[in-house]
Amino acid sequence: MSSETNEAHTVPASQADGRLTRTLVRWLMRPAVIASVDELSDRFRLISFEGEGLRAAAWRPGQKIQVKVGGGLTARTYTPISWDAAAGAASILVWLRGEGPGSAWVRSLTPGQACQFLGPRASLDIADLKPPFVLFGDETSFGLASSVAGLRPQDATSAFLFEVTSADECAPVLERLGVEAALIERRAGDAHLAAIETQIERHAGAADVRFVLTGKAQSIQRVSRALKAAGVGSARILAKAYWAPGKAGLD
């Protein structure tokens, strides 16, 4: 997902619709078909893909795909929830925050529709992530959380913590994904981040806990500063900004 999806990105190539674009798409991207579009809430969509293009790809949790969403080579980046190469199937969760090309594409999707994607590619390296860990993020981080939810033991030193616009909307979505998390609603001036800092600092004393910080760039920066002030070394912090207000192409 990003601010509109998970990360916004435009493939650096000609934007003209025509033979060159079609050739580049064939060379650079894999084909797939939309298998299903499940409306989990007003702003969340669970999208399943299928096709031979998915069989030839190796994916690990934390990696990204970039999906062609409009004319030319305009693409948006998503963190897959699941990937079954043998079956040729994968799924993503999209948060419709804005009104850009990614959101328009998602709202237009119907089962059977063709699409093209690039990847999977490296994004957040969690290949060696083992519990205990704390994953902080927001609505754009739910897909990542779902892909690693099975790693989290039920103990006090592991947790998922998210800043969200509406806890009432997000709680059923996370339940559907099998993710148990603490939700703190956004407040004006980012006043809610003080409560998030307090919660996440409770885990800082355990020397073996790792912290995975995702979502909004400014929130990541603030939480990272709080962790370092609490004595958490950089080696225990993994960070990936998925979006920032007014910016695209963070990845």
Side-chain angles (χ1 to χ4, degrees), residues 63-82:
Q63 290 185 325
K64 67 186 179 184
I65 60 171
Q66 290 162 281
V67 183
K68 186 177 185 298
V69 299
L73 293 171
T74 301
R76 290 295 180 265
T77 307
Y78 304 89
T79 302
I81 292 174
S82 63

Side-chain angles (χ1 to χ4, degrees), residues 133-218:
F133 62 85
V134 176
L135 192 155
F136 165 75
D138 58 20
E139 293 94 338
T140 67
S141 311
F142 289 2
L144 175 67
S146 178
S147 70
V148 301
L151 297 176
R152 196 199 80 170
Q154 299 300 314
D155 61 43
T157 57
S158 294
F160 292 111
L161 175 61
F162 300 116
E163 58 173 336
V164 300
T165 297
S166 170
D168 287 341
E169 179 183 28
C170 291
V173 173
L174 288 168
E175 183 177 2
R176 170 73 177 271
L177 298 177
V179 177
E180 182 180 346
L183 302 178
I184 295 181
E185 292 190 342
R186 294 181 177 91
R187 295 173 58 190
D190 284 341
H192 63 285
L193 290 178
I196 288 175
E197 289 173 336
T198 298
Q199 287 207 31
I200 207 165
E201 285 169 358
R202 293 172 184 168
H203 301 273
D208 57 343
V209 175
R210 297 180 69 186
F211 296 86
V212 181
L213 312 181
T214 61
K216 184 181 177 182
Q218 292 86 344

Side-chain angles (χ1 to χ4, degrees), residues 72-146:
L73 293 171
T74 301
R76 290 295 180 265
T77 307
Y78 304 89
T79 302
I81 292 174
S82 63
W83 197 290
D84 186 339
S91 62
I92 61 173
L93 180 74
V94 178
W95 177 44
L96 301 170
R97 191 185 78 92
E99 297 298 329
S103 294
W105 175 76
V106 170
R107 292 190 174 100
S108 73
L109 289 179
T110 58
Q113 184 172 330
C115 64
Q116 297 82 31
F117 69 94
L118 183 67
R121 302 169 65 191
S123 180
L124 183 65
D125 186 5
I126 57 172
D128 63 346
L129 183 66
K130 297 179 177 62
F133 62 85
V134 176
L135 192 155
F136 165 75
D138 58 20
E139 293 94 338
T140 67
S141 311
F142 289 2
L144 175 67
S146 178

Side-chain angles (χ1 to χ4, degrees), residues 203-213 223-239:
H203 301 273
D208 57 343
V209 175
R210 297 180 69 186
F211 296 86
V212 181
L213 312 181
V223 171
S224 180
R225 287 196 298 267
L227 286 172
K228 291 176 180 178
V232 177
S234 298
R236 292 169 55 197
I237 301 174
L238 291 173

